[in-house]
Amino acid sequence: MSDGYHVRFEKEAQEALKKMDRFQAKLLVSWIEKHLEGTTNPRVHGKSLVGNRVGQWRYRVGDYRLIAEIKDDEIVILILNIGYRRMVYDK
């Protein structure tokens, strides 16, 4: 699907996935591949953030959250961080 958005992972998000339980990491990656990779509207599954995170988007996957930046000019969804719902916003 070359006409949709492409997902890229920031170093912090890659590190978070590596530290995570293998099963949970696999679940998150498959959710990203199914819902975000190749999509034409990445905003449909997420929620825009406010405050000091204006311009960023949150995707909820079970008890985990993906913090992302949607770059329309590059057609890229940049995953900034991945973490447990209570802790992901602290970083």
Side-chain angles (χ1 to χ4, degrees), residues 3 5-7 12 32 35 37 40 42 56 63 90-91:
D3 56 347
Y5 279 75
H6 176 66
V7 176
E12 195 174 351
I32 290 166
H35 294 94
E37 187 69 49
T40 53
Q56 294 179 355
D63 286 338
D90 298 340
K91 296 174 183 172

Side-chain angles (χ1 to χ4, degrees), residues 24 27-28 31 58-65 84-85:
Q24 187 62 50
L27 207 82
L28 287 165
W31 187 93
R58 166 186 64 86
Y59 295 97
R60 195 173 133 196
V61 186
D63 286 338
Y64 286 82
R65 302 295 179 266
Y84 190 72
R85 65 191 169 104

Side-chain angles (χ1 to χ4, degrees), residues 6 10 12-14 16 20 24 34 43 55 57 61 68 74 76 81 86 88 90:
H6 176 66
E10 197 65 76
E12 195 174 351
Q14 290 173 359
M20 210 174 278
Q24 187 62 50
K34 182 179 179 190
R43 291 165 178 85
W57 285 74
V61 186
E74 299 175 46
V76 164
N81 199 358
R86 288 197 192 108
V88 75
D90 298 340

Side-chain angles (χ1 to χ4, degrees), residues 34-55:
K34 182 179 179 190
H35 294 94
L36 299 181
E37 187 69 49
T39 187
T40 53
N41 185 3
R43 291 165 178 85
V44 107
H45 296 289
K47 181 180 178 200
S48 66
L49 295 175
V50 294
N52 62 345
R53 292 191 177 269
V54 164

Side-chain angles (χ1 to χ4, degrees), residues 69-80:
E69 204 174 293
I70 299 170
K71 298 178 178 263
D72 292 314
D73 53 334
E74 299 175 46
I75 312 178
V76 164
I77 302 166
L78 185 61
I79 307 288
L80 302 173

